[in-house]
Amino acid sequence: MSLLHEPHHDGSPLYLDTETPALGWPVKVRLRTHAADPAGEVERVWLRTTYDAEPVFHACAPHVPDPAVGAVGADPGARWWEGELPVHNPVTHYRFLLAHADGTQRWLTAAGVVEHDGPDAFDFKVSAHPAAPAWGREAVVYQVFPDRFARSAAADERETPPWAVPAAWDDEVVFEGTDPRTPLQYFGGDLDGVTEHLDHVQATGATALYTTPVFPGESNHRYNASTFDRVDDLLGGDEAYARLAEGLHDRGMRLLGDLTSNHTGDTHEWFRAAHTDPDDPHRDWYCFRPDGSYECWMGHHTLPKLDHTSEAMRAAMVEGPDSVVARWMRPPVGLDGWRIDVANMTGRLGGIDVNHDVARAVRRTAEAERGDAWVIGEHNHDASADLDGDGWHGTMNYSGFSWPVWSWLRDPGSPARAFGRPLPVARRGGPLVHRTIREWQARYGWRATAQSWNILGSHDSARIRTLTGSGTLHRVAAGLQFTLPGVPMLFAGDEIGLEGVLGEDSRRPMPWHRRETWDEATLSTYAALAAARREHPALVHGGLRWAHVDEDCLAFLREHPAGTVLVVARRAAGAPLDLPLATTPELLLNTEPDGPVDGPSVTLWAV
């Protein structure tokens, strides 16, 4: 059986009239079945949704698609159905009930076809809340860790701060958590250094730059801010941040900031005042206990937790025109959006949970300053409850993208360490990886998945090159990063093959002066994949229909009215695929241009 003969629906234009329907109006949804379905041809179809939590069914009718749209008109065995889905609630979930001539009943959910009555957790969903800005959905994001990216000439004139352990650019990174130098090792990269290398950033295909925090903090990572009122002088201050923003905006690129809405540093001016004086107005901005101790992030006393039940604190941090969120989105910097650190824990403490209120506030504040603001929340496990559509636009998609790709491509002998678990991800074959991806896409919903970041690694994790153990499989991972639904985000250095066994080790300085160490083939692959994503709307806005899955091969179609792209990803050499395609594929790109398309690689075809 070909997976192309399975019943299919997703949230793309071929199957849903609009991703953002108006509340109170129906939206047309379409289902594709096939005469060659081994379960038998589908005879009747109903949409099942809920109306204020009460199940209701709506009959679907046979549908004749426009034959001019190749993706729908080319397969004579396809059978199309159409129904109207009432958008009565802000987030509407639905599934399809399929009836066969022999009396068989099946459900189609976002996780696939099932023959039992399962819970609603994997239903399709559509949100009436506004979507992420188009530029965010279409972006390729490039992450920079400022201390390790590049030094301008001005960096040589700055004194090393008292807290820091100075390092030369080629020194080995200290990265063990038991070593007190790990957060203190200071290489001295700055924001003008980033601006001076924007040609390289743009050459990777990136359209947006995200930097980890730029506010002063007594560490190399700056997640322990001592103020939000200014940019660290060690990075060049406010003026350098404005120059970086101007340099990006002049190129038509965007700039995203990084904000720790969950905590500050223990040297922050707010916390110092609150800690010193129990009667200080800032006292209820933090989570102090009766004995004078305080809640902090994961037991780290240098990161005291903010209390988002305090209206004054929220006004200072996330709510309204005088907040930190708003201020840095105005000139002279003019951020285009924020990545929110520890978004999953923000506003949550024991029996208190105002997380969703905070997410709405951040987005509302950002959009008041810039109508097309983009807000992404950090979350490294199940973010589904936080992605209803009126808060974070999306998440850093570790669970739905990183972990399944890691598990498929991990070298069993890799020294890469686990991230957020006691063991490295298990090495798994294609069927389990396929199931994982489908289930997470179902939990998040089509739109939230497409607006979230596909990441192969970050400053918090091992590098993808270390995990795969080879350039070839690294490029396979990159191929999936750019072709599965979601926004590619690469951590500076991925494109040239930098390594790292865990997050701190992955923060190695960029070897600008040692070009001979760069993996030029991987750099070229990133640029080619980004170009393909720009040129083919299907890779951004198209659906996802699985075509073939086995232990070592994943193949899928990204379908769109403007054209369809077939993607074949292999982790090992295999026999050529024989897919029931209605047209002859045209080769677009292979991540190993000098190798066979049936070897380890990702190949893109126009169909």
Side-chain angles (χ1 to χ4, degrees):
M1 173 187 175
S2 168
L3 298 180
L4 294 175
H5 293 157
E6 288 189 345
H8 181 74
H9 171 83
D10 58 45
S12 68
L14 286 178
Y15 299 92
L16 188 69
D17 265 3
T18 175
E19 283 190 351
T20 311
L23 187 63
W25 292 86
V27 61
K28 289 184 178 179
V29 298
R30 287 170 289 278
L31 168 73
R32 179 186 186 128
T33 62
H34 203 279
D37 189 332
E41 192 163 357
V42 174
E43 288 199 338
R44 289 180 294 170
V45 174
W46 289 266
L47 266 174
R48 197 220 71 173
T49 183
T50 58
Y51 187 96
D52 294 335
E54 179 69 17
V56 291
F57 288 80
H58 301 274
C60 296
H63 172 68
V64 179
D66 182 353
V69 180
V72 298
D75 185 352
R79 303 289 184 266
W80 287 82
W81 305 80
E82 186 175 76
E84 286 195 343
L85 175 69
V87 184
H88 176 66
N89 302 110
V91 178
T92 300
H93 64 94
Y94 60 99
R95 61 174 61 188
F96 295 90
L97 177 61
L98 314 176
H100 299 264
D102 63 359
T104 300
Q105 297 180 20
R106 297 188 296 169
W107 295 101
L108 175 63
T109 72
V113 178
V114 295
E115 297 181 0
H116 65 284
D117 295 337
D120 295 353
F122 292 142
D123 276 6
F124 299 101
K125 64 185 70 172
V126 63
S127 174
H129 298 296
W135 70 264
R137 174 80 166 267
E138 296 164 2
V140 174
V141 180
Y142 190 91
Q143 182 195 5
V144 164
F145 189 84
D147 184 58
R148 312 289 165 84
F149 187 70
R151 288 171 60 98
S152 71
D156 295 334
E157 302 171 5
R158 299 186 186 114
E159 293 185 7
T160 301
W163 55 262
V165 177
W169 203 251
D170 284 331
D171 283 356
E172 185 175 345
V173 170
V174 177
F175 62 85
E176 296 292 0
T178 55
D179 192 321
R181 297 173 298 167
T182 295
L184 306 178
Q185 192 179 28
Y186 172 71
F187 286 83
D190 61 2
L191 294 174
D192 283 324
V194 180
T195 303
E196 290 169 2
H197 288 88
L198 289 183
D199 283 347
H200 171 80
V201 175
Q202 197 165 27
T204 66
T207 60
L209 182 79
Y210 146 55
T211 74
T212 53
V214 298
F215 304 114
E218 295 184 349
S219 66
N220 50 41
H221 53 72
R222 297 183 173 86
Y223 282 99
N224 54 340
S226 58
T227 184
F228 297 118
D229 288 345
R230 60 183 175 83
V231 173
D232 197 338
D233 291 337
L234 296 173
L235 295 176
D238 294 8
E239 296 80 7
Y241 206 25
R243 285 190 291 271
L244 174 59
E246 182 180 17
L248 288 162
H249 292 154
D250 285 349
R251 295 166 181 260
M253 300 173 71
R254 306 282 184 148
L255 177 60
L256 298 170
D258 194 339
L259 185 63
T260 57
S261 59
N262 179 71
H263 56 262
T264 68
D266 63 346
T267 61
H268 197 284
E269 54 210 11
W270 300 345
F271 183 75
R272 283 184 166 175
H275 195 236
T276 303
D277 181 5
D279 296 322
D280 186 88
H282 297 92
R283 185 76 171 188
D284 68 356
W285 291 25
Y286 292 88
C287 303
F288 281 94
R289 304 184 186 102
D291 64 358
S293 62
Y294 53 88
E295 296 287 345
C296 47
W297 180 75
M298 301 301 291
H300 293 276
H301 73 277
T302 59
L303 302 175
K305 185 176 178 68
L306 290 164
D307 186 348
H308 281 272
T309 65
S310 165
E311 292 185 6
M313 191 283 293
R314 280 170 60 169
M317 190 70 169
V318 299
E319 187 93 62
D322 297 325
S323 65
V324 176
V325 168
R327 174 189 168 181
W328 293 99
M329 297 192 74
R330 294 195 289 267
V333 174
L335 292 176
D336 298 285
W338 290 98
R339 177 264 193 187
I340 303 299
D341 181 61
V342 198
N344 56 313
M345 297 183 74
T346 295
R348 289 181 170 132
L349 179 62
I352 298 171
D353 188 348
V354 294
N355 181 272
H356 207 158
D357 293 337
V358 178
R360 290 191 191 106
V362 171
R363 177 164 162 182
R364 184 169 57 245
T365 300
E367 291 177 341
E369 298 297 330
R370 183 180 293 274
D372 63 350
W374 194 26
V375 181
I376 295 292
E378 182 196 18
H379 209 306
N380 70 9
H381 59 293
D382 189 350
S384 56
D386 298 343
L387 296 177
D388 278 349
D390 58 346
W392 321 125
H393 286 114
T395 187
M396 300 178 74
N397 197 3
Y398 288 105
S399 291
F401 178 81
S402 309
W403 307 152
V405 171
W406 278 25
S407 67
W408 196 49
L409 298 175
R410 184 175 70 86
D411 175 4
S414 171
R417 299 186 194 173
F419 177 39
R421 64 180 73 194
L423 295 172
V425 294
R427 181 172 165 85
R428 297 187 172 102
L432 280 176
V433 170
H434 165 247
R435 177 178 175 180
T436 304
I437 291 172
R438 290 202 70 165
E439 288 188 358
W440 281 105
Q441 287 177 344
R443 288 294 291 141
Y444 286 176
W446 178 259
R447 197 176 77 181
T449 297
Q451 296 169 178
S452 292
W453 289 358
N454 288 349
I455 51 182
L456 294 173
S458 70
H459 68 291
D460 284 327
S461 75
R463 288 273 187 179
I464 187 63
R465 174 58 65 90
T466 301
L467 185 115
T468 61
S470 78
T472 298
L473 291 182
H474 174 178
R475 292 186 285 274
V476 171
L480 291 170
Q481 182 179 33
F482 280 78
T483 58
L484 283 169
V487 178
M489 190 221 82
L490 53 148
F491 181 31
D494 282 352
E495 73 276 16
I496 59 172
L498 286 193
E499 296 198 31
V501 302
L502 48 58
E504 285 78 5
D505 186 33
S506 297
R507 305 171 189 179
R508 301 180 188 183
M510 284 285 285
W512 299 110
H513 58 299
R514 290 186 283 112
R515 181 87 188 214
E516 72 279 2
T517 66
W518 292 21
D519 183 344
E520 300 286 353
T522 297
L523 177 59
S524 297
T525 294
Y526 274 94
L529 288 166
R533 197 169 183 272
R534 287 193 304 271
E535 294 164 9
H536 298 278
L539 295 177
V540 178
H541 300 287
L544 174 65
R545 188 154 65 100
W546 291 93
H548 173 87
V549 173
D550 63 39
E551 287 295 299
D552 297 321
C553 181
L554 302 171
F556 50 89
L557 294 174
R558 299 297 310 275
E559 297 177 308
H560 190 270
T564 293
V565 175
L566 168 65
V567 180
V568 180
R570 298 179 182 274
R571 70 177 182 181
L577 295 184
D578 183 16
L579 299 174
L581 301 173
T583 58
T584 302
E586 176 188 349
L587 180 64
L588 297 174
L589 181 153
N590 185 270
T591 55
E592 299 295 317
D594 297 327
V597 296
D598 56 356
S601 64
V602 172
T603 310
L604 279 61
W605 309 80
V607 296

